[in-house]
Amino acid sequence: MIMKICIVGANGRMGQAIIQIAQMQNIIIHSAVIRENTQYHGVALTQNNTKISNHIEKGADVILDFSNHQSTLNNIKSAVQYNIPILIGTTGSHTASDYKAYQNIIPILWAPNTSISWSIIQSSIEKINKIRNLAVSIGEVHHKNKADNPSGTTKQLHDKIQADQIWSLRAGDNMSMHQFLGLNNQEMIRFEHQVFNRKIYANDALKVCEWLVNQNPGLFTMQAFINNLSEITSLN
Ligand SMILES: NC(=O)C1=CN([C@@H]2O[C@H](COP(=O)(O)OP(=O)(O)OC[C@H]3O[C@@H](n4cnc5c(N)ncnc54)[C@H](OP(=O)(O)O)[C@@H]3O)[C@@H](O)[C@H]2O)C=CC1
Ligand SMILES: O=C(O)C1=N[C@H](C(=O)O)C[C@H](O)C1
């Protein structure tokens, strides 16, 4: 099946990365949703039927929300209205539990970090942290335009492992890095994930959507996706 996607936040950095990747792949951009009272000002939309809209419309197979955490609840309500699975990529003051009321209606993926590599790292961190008594630091470095601090990835990991220290730095235009440091008398464990290009988040988000569209209703994290990785042959 050729996947039809709706991208919310189409004018943004992530929205643009997703549009570029989708247009290079066998993916139909059903609609590009931008904020009210704005114009689309991104890369050329090369497919004839892509709708540019101020709201989610029916007809897509999956919605990717990379707009703003304040609009995510409305986006989920629209997803429910049209019975469309939704990937929540926004980060900020919301948490997955805010959306529990909708988990029995549609598949919802809570994904503050869509990188599959990071998701595997996070799974390892959680396992190690369970079996070792570690002093833990989580650090993150992001571009200067990032609205939230700490990052959504950091918040999600901290919820799981309760870090002793969290630090954040903001600089540059494209930077994205997460670091875990765990320490005891015998070991120092360090994981670091640097992303050179938003296309990795975009590409992996689209891969995960191929999985999401085949799920029953539920509130999932990237963990559920990587638990199924053995059935997937190539992720390039
Ligand atoms: N899950 C992941 O792996 C990743 C998540 N993110 C997160 O994704 C979100 C977007 O990041 P980024 O692209 O860098 O941010 P940008 O600010 O570049 O893009 C956000 C876009 O959303 C638009 N927007 C805001 N409100 C609405 C609305 N109600 N309806 C439609 N569009 C809206 C903005 O419009 P306007 O241009 O008019 O202001 C903007 O174009 C952030 O929360 C970020 O933290 C980012 C990277 C990876
Ligand atoms: O805003 C970003 O750029 C990113 N946001 C996500 C987060 O807050 O964790 C994921 C990644 O770090 C890039």
Side-chain angles (χ1 to χ4, degrees), residues 11-216:
N11 270 332
R13 290 176 284 263
M14 275 303 295
Q16 285 294 294
I18 291 168
I19 286 169
Q20 287 177 54
I21 300 263
Q23 290 189 158
M24 288 189 299
Q25 299 179 1
N26 196 18
I27 292 172
I28 295 172
I29 305 174
H30 167 271
S31 39
V33 179
I34 56 175
R35 206 144 50 98
E36 273 184 37
N37 305 317
T38 59
Q39 300 290 315
Y40 179 75
H41 55 70
V43 293
L45 295 165
T46 57
Q47 299 165 3
N48 290 336
N49 297 326
T50 299
K51 292 175 203 158
I52 298 173
S53 183
N54 297 128
H55 52 268
I56 293 169
E57 299 182 26
K58 67 177 177 187
D61 296 319
V62 63
I63 298 164
L64 296 95
D65 180 11
F66 283 91
S67 56
N68 182 286
H69 64 109
Q70 286 170 330
S71 80
T72 288
L73 179 58
N74 277 340
N75 296 330
I76 291 182
K77 287 180 178 170
S78 300
V80 165
Q81 182 184 356
Y82 299 124
N83 195 26
I84 308 173
I86 182 166
L87 181 159
I88 303 170
T90 55
T91 63
S93 59
H94 57 355
T95 65
S97 56
D98 297 340
Y99 308 117
K100 271 186 180 162
Y102 306 98
Q103 67 184 351
N104 295 324
I105 312 175
I106 52 166
I108 301 171
L109 178 65
W110 174 259
N113 190 323
T114 55
S115 157
I116 294 168
S117 308
W118 169 260
S119 302
I120 293 169
I121 291 170
Q122 179 165 331
S123 170
S124 301
I125 292 171
E126 287 176 28
K127 282 181 190 155
I128 292 168
N129 197 64
K130 244 184 209 157
I131 59 162
R132 298 281 197 243
N133 186 14
L134 299 168
V136 168
S137 158
I138 306 174
E140 53 104 344
V141 177
H142 279 88
H143 54 95
K144 63 181 184 302
N145 297 310
K146 183 163 176 59
D148 52 323
N149 188 338
S151 68
T153 307
T154 300
K155 284 176 61 187
Q156 188 187 41
L157 183 57
H158 179 58
D159 282 350
K160 295 276 184 190
I161 66 170
Q162 283 85 49
D164 299 289
Q165 182 202 45
I166 290 175
W167 58 266
S168 304
L169 276 182
R170 297 286 176 265
D173 298 320
N174 293 305
M175 198 58 205
S176 172
M177 188 282 286
H178 287 99
Q179 188 194 74
F180 165 90
L181 194 67
L183 184 67
N184 67 18
N185 263 341
Q186 279 88 34
E187 292 176 304
M188 185 174 84
I189 300 144
R190 181 157 62 195
F191 288 96
E192 188 169 292
H193 183 239
Q194 289 189 37
V195 169
F196 305 138
N197 191 315
R198 287 182 184 87
K199 286 180 181 167
I200 193 72
Y201 296 122
N203 193 54
D204 286 0
L206 290 167
K207 287 276 176 293
V208 177
C209 282
E210 287 170 12
W211 167 85
L212 188 64
V213 295
N214 291 314
Q215 301 312 302
N216 290 322

